[in-house]
Amino acid sequence: MCGINGILNFNGRPLMVDDLQGMNAKMIHRGPDDDGYYTDGNMGLAMRRLSIIDLQGGHQPISNESGRIWVVLNGEIYNYIELRKELESRGHLFKTKSDTEVLVHLYEDMGEQCLNKLNGMFTFAIWDSYKKELLVANDRLGIKPLFYYKNSSFFAFSSELKSLITLDVDREIDRSSFLLYLFLLYVPYPRSMVKDVCKLEPATLLKIDGRGNITKKTYWKIENFNSVEQIDFEEFRDTFITLLTDAIRLQLRSDVPIGTFLSGGVDSSCIVAMLSNLNKGAHPIRTFSVGYEGHFTDERQYAAQVAKLFKTKHTEFFITTSDVKKNLRRIIWFMDEPVGDSAMLPAFLLSEMARESGVKVLLNGTGGDEIFGGYRRYLETEVRYYLRKKLNTMSNLALSLIARPFSLYNTFKSMNGLMDYCCNVSGSFMGLRSFLKDDSWFGMLTNHLDITLGNEFDQLITLPKVDRLMHFDLRTYLVGDLLFLLDKMTMAASIEARVPLIDHRMVEFMATIPASLKIKDGNLKSLVKKALKGILPDTILAREKMGFGGPVSFWLSEGILDKTGIFEDGLSTETKELFKQEKLMDTLKNRKHNRWNAQFLYNLAVFELWYWNVLKG
């Protein structure tokens, strides 16, 4: 696990190591244990290393025996032991025990087809000095983010946006990305917040030659949707448990201590259960959970129950408003690109706690909702389900207020429900609308949504509605928000996060099963819960989903923005041009928010702090 950088000049200018050193200096937190550089004329690779496997011998960049192939890798190749045995049987010689060197020799054997053999989370770059060709690729699900930039003079890539913009990159905000972020809470791939900087989409390979020609290829996608018409439950359960156990077995490979996030929900709890079985009592599993001041829910009782059942060494963290005030500015710096998901705070604080406890790798349940069927919006879409459920207990005024953000859905029939979906996910619609100078933004927003996400949405048009939402979440929300946030916040504390539930084999298997079989009678994840019966207690299997995010409205009412510098620095040009500045500043300063605009105000505050501290910092 580390951060990687690279530059390929097209103008023949020799690469200066100083450029690479400047990029590396911005992401020491991603790799405090080591750094490394390699240059070959007009090309250079660099990395910062967090030592997880082969602590002494895993230095990068690393080459083959002849020095023709050079590699930098961020992440882990979990099946590296099996691949190494195959390669040694074909005569390859290894000088280290690292997973990175396996990638070197596998590329020698198979070229770009080596990607199909890898089980892992990764971004890597391979320089073929004979072909004078640079290959940049990431894992199938996009677990590890990578930014890249190209102009007429050079191509560059980095694990961190703040490292990339140390180069000769115009630090101009992409206005489309800005608007999409305020609506969605994140910038969807392949966009970034900076104009002309892109994020590498999941399962994507880039090949760049010395003249600046780029070839882009998707090397994996789910092909087998909904092929199961009836479930043989025992067969399903056996396959599910086997895949889950093997994914965790592979992801336990480490030369440093491992722990887990534990919310007490189904996903994190089943990981602890499987870990406990594989661990066989060798040493206590470290688990970490969180509670919030001002939150109407608290999951710690469920986490404590699971921890007690499986005899983990359990630690709780209670986040106060003071913790948020103290850490918000630096968390946003580590976040690297604005994300309005309040889960970044607990993810960072728990990661710091884990690191202080001696743990360097954390497993967690990210991705389970998308593949098992865990979001309430999957119940016919959340809004209609929620309205019907609450119809007899809510006033007509309350119902009309809830329904208002969705009253314009029929306008977007040509978008096949994309606006419906986005309103359902973001929770930021009404606040965004109420502060804008005029309604011209609405046409722009829908156009940007269609251009950026419409093609992904349309590719799933033949699927039933809930299946479509689940697979769209997997391709967009999971990678753009949850996985991006997880990478940035854990790496900020120099922690490696692993996500066994989205081992690509599990993802492919669950894709064959229709949502109608995964969700029954309004019971989310009902199929997986049934498979886990007897492994997890009924109190865990029957509980409602609560979520990992914090109480944003409470934080704002308690003045979390009072000493962040947002008022002293003023507002960005982008915000001034789009919003009613006086109304906005008055609302922020005097905390005149409500449940409808709190999420939007938080999104905008995160953007402003990022703008002044990362982009302009």
Side-chain angles (χ1 to χ4, degrees), residues 405-436:
F406 305 93
S407 62
L408 295 172
Y409 286 168
N410 288 335
T411 308
F412 301 97
K413 288 180 180 177
S414 63
M415 297 181 71
N416 299 309
L418 180 56
M419 177 60 80
D420 187 334
Y421 165 85
C422 292
C423 285
N424 210 337
V425 172
S426 76
S428 172
F429 182 94
M430 288 301 289
L432 175 62
R433 188 179 186 187
S434 65
F435 288 101
L436 286 153

Side-chain angles (χ1 to χ4, degrees), residues 6 41 78 109-110 122 133 235 255 330 340 369 387 434 483 600:
Y78 297 129
D109 261 19
M110 303 180 66
F122 54 82
E133 183 177 74
E235 183 179 334
D255 294 330
R330 71 181 183 126
D369 288 319
L387 289 179
S434 65
L483 291 175
F600 162 73

Side-chain angles (χ1 to χ4, degrees), residues 25 28 47 75 121 143 184-185 195 222 242 312 319 346 380 408 416 421 426 446 448 458 464 473-474 616:
I28 292 174
M47 58 79 67
M121 58 172 189
I143 300 166
L184 296 172
L185 281 67
K195 190 175 181 181
I222 300 171
T242 298
T312 75
I319 297 177
E380 301 178 56
L408 295 172
N416 299 309
Y421 165 85
S426 76
T446 56
H448 297 328
D458 290 343
D473 275 336
L474 188 74
K616 300 297 182 181

